Amino acid sequence: MNPLKAAFCRTFQFGFKAAIPFLPYRNPDILNSVDEIPSLLKKQGIGNVMLVTDKSIRGFGITSHLEEILVKENIKLTVYDKVQSNPTVHIVEEARGMYLADGCEALIGFGGGSSMDCAKAVGALIARPEATLKDLGGMLRIWKKTPYTIAIPTTAGTGSETTVAAVVVDEESGHKYALMDFPLIPDVAVLDPETTRTLPPSVTAGTGMDTLAHAVEAYIGGSTTRLTRQEALRCVRLVFKYLERACKNGNDMKARRGMLRASYLGGHAFTVSYVGYVHAVSHSLSGQYNLPHGETTAILLPYVLEAYGSKIYPQLKALAIAAGVASMDTDEGLAARKFIKAVKELNSIIGIGTKIPAIKLADIKKMASFADKEGNPVYPVPVLMDAKELERFYYETYEGED
Ligand SMILES: [Fe+2]
């Protein structure tokens, strides 16, 4: 990256880091079971809610218990179940239309990151009816209070239940972008492992590694606080302890609960301390090819850590200790390599590959420029890279024949 742009990025990041103590971060209230939702809504004086979910979650019957207890408690329910992975602008606008037509007063995002992000994006449009999603993309563009929002993750996870972000994709350009503002932090997060019981191993694996990437990228970045460093280390400990177990036996509720907790901690760590180029590159890939975010992120993570080199050895040593693959006595460089190796091994054990077959050479330049736009100057990454330098990650994970 040229020195002028690098200086601009670092100045911008320094400003944001200095502002952290003054920014209105808040934690959602936590519920341990969906059974607690009706009484909570009544306490808030809410009698008409919109459930935002997807057809497969609903088809599996995962939302049926909540739907039943809401109806039983005379809470009017509107269901929008057309969310797809990577919610499009069209989907968010359609759900907003239903919300307004039915006079809803609150949102429940029930599902993976896409359903929760869709609910949060609907909330943004309700708060700012004059704006388009594109207007609200980027940092701090919403400002106004969004409707009361409950997030129920069925994956562990994107961390969307605690973050300031909602990611949407413009279906015409393929550009995936995030709305990031404090009103998007849900009011309530329901961490109920029962909702993740039927999650297939491949989704458990991808979303679990996404959680790991949140903690790792937050920890190695330049905007950590004491709290986010602790959260990231606890998250890494939990992922290395429980992810393999949750993938092998979906009914292992202790592992499922551990992963939900990890997701929440990782989500909170990165909402304050940001992610990095793993996410910037991953978003550009899933925007272009509609790939699952977790798996793409998992594949990219070791490549990006290797590219940062010795600059992040001290942080990787701490992460290696949290993961249980190094001790205080281990040499820094060795511990760093052990951590990257442990990430690769965990990927392999839970069935995640090392390449992204969807990548087409002709798309790399455009995707790298999207990643550059997302990452710079916002993400306080340990080593700055511009679009040209970011292209390496697409070539390294490229497997096609064109
Ligand atoms: Fe992520």
Side-chain angles (χ1 to χ4, degrees), residues 158 210 214 279 283 293 297:
T158 64
D210 184 27
H214 294 156
H279 272 78
H283 286 152
H293 170 70
T297 302

Side-chain angles (χ1 to χ4, degrees), residues 17 41 70 99 130 179 204 225 247 264 300 327 346 373:
K17 186 175 182 186
L41 288 172
L70 288 172
Y99 182 98
E130 79 292 354
L179 288 65
T204 304
T225 65
C247 290
Y264 181 84
L300 287 163
S327 68
L346 185 54
K373 261 190 219 139

Side-chain angles (χ1 to χ4, degrees), residues 111-114 116-117 153 155-163 207-208 210-211 214 263-264 266-267 270 279 293-294:
S114 300
M116 291 186 283
D117 281 5
T155 61
T158 64
S160 181
E161 67 276 13
T162 181
T163 69
T207 51
D210 184 27
T211 280
H214 294 156
S263 169
Y264 181 84
F270 92 77
H279 272 78
H293 170 70

